[in-house]
Amino acid sequence: MQIKDIASKIVEMEKVPTYFNNTKTFSSVTYLKQNSDKQRGLYLPDCDSLEALKYCKSSIPDGFERIRQMICTKCDFGEISFSVFSILHELGHWIEYKEFIEEGHTDKEFISCYELQRAVMFMQRDNECQKCKSKEDIIALNKKYDNLYAELPTEKYANDFALSHLIEGVMKIK
């Protein structure tokens, strides 16, 4: 099933700017980044749900396995539940950001509260990667940082949001 068709059933697209692009990844843009022409909103792959699943499995195997395990706590794992979870995860990021702004905060405060942790973690990972001497070292490093990434407050919020709405979302598709 096309990601566009899945998203149209679980995202209120008239309220959440949603863009489809030629990547096979799911992402969201909350605050506007310097030197980027991307607008705020959800960025979803313009492809089939099976293509998106296969891409994630091959490009980020640790993240894929973590996502698979989370989904299996709620329902059967497959291309539909994976895509619904991924869309809901990005929607969770969007909702967390919008609530933060509605409380009277600014983009700068959002970056300070949440995104600096992510940036520091990526810099630490890059520094540690320089010390890797083997493929096994890189695999271990990737697993370590995938777990650390999943513990970031914004990632926990998005995962919790996705998991709490997963069954409802899957039912809307089936």
Side-chain angles (χ1 to χ4, degrees):
M1 181 173 216
Q2 293 296 308
I3 299 297
K4 280 182 181 178
D5 297 330
I6 296 170
S8 71
K9 294 178 181 178
I10 60 175
V11 175
E12 294 180 64
M13 291 194 202
E14 64 281 356
K15 293 182 181 177
V16 181
T18 306
Y19 308 96
F20 295 91
N21 56 40
N22 290 327
T23 69
K24 292 188 177 45
T25 59
F26 299 82
S27 66
S28 59
V29 172
T30 51
Y31 61 93
L32 296 178
K33 297 167 181 78
Q34 284 185 328
N35 302 321
S36 174
D37 62 350
K38 284 193 169 186
Q39 300 298 308
R40 288 181 171 94
L42 305 182
Y43 285 79
L44 306 177
D46 189 8
C47 67
D48 181 83
S49 54
L50 185 57
E51 289 177 80
L53 182 147
K54 287 179 179 179
Y55 178 80
C56 180
K57 185 176 182 178
S58 67
S59 64
I60 51 166
D62 294 321
F64 175 82
E65 185 55 31
R66 181 176 39 78
I67 292 166
R68 190 189 68 72
Q69 288 175 3
M70 283 190 289
I71 290 170
C72 287
T73 67
K74 297 290 182 182
C75 64
D76 290 338
F77 179 81
E79 66 183 271
I80 300 300
S81 59
F82 170 79
S83 295
V84 168
F85 176 88
S86 298
I87 293 165
L88 289 171
H89 175 93
E90 299 309 329
L91 182 59
H93 282 307
W94 178 258
I95 289 169
E96 181 182 34
Y97 169 77
K98 293 300 278 183
E99 288 174 354
F100 188 83
I101 297 301
E102 287 169 5
E103 290 171 359
H105 300 285
T106 65
D107 280 0
K108 190 173 184 177
E109 290 172 311
F110 185 82
I111 293 165
S112 177
C113 288
Y114 297 110
E115 295 304 311
L116 288 179
Q117 296 169 338
R118 186 184 316 266
V120 167
M121 187 190 75
F122 285 136
M123 286 189 316
Q124 289 171 334
R125 185 200 176 283
D126 289 345
N127 288 337
E128 285 186 45
C129 189
Q130 302 295 327
K131 300 172 188 168
C132 289
K133 297 185 183 332
S134 67
K135 183 178 179 182
E136 291 76 22
D137 289 346
I138 293 171
I139 290 169
L141 183 71
N142 287 341
K143 187 167 186 64
K144 172 186 171 181
Y145 277 94
D146 180 69
N147 289 330
L148 289 172
Y149 183 80
E151 292 300 317
L152 291 171
T154 55
E155 292 306 314
K156 288 180 90 162
Y157 182 98
N159 286 337
D160 290 347
F161 178 85
L163 288 172
S164 68
H165 294 89
L166 182 62
I167 293 172
E168 174 190 345
V170 169
M171 296 304 291
K172 287 179 181 179
I173 306 307
K174 295 189 175 193

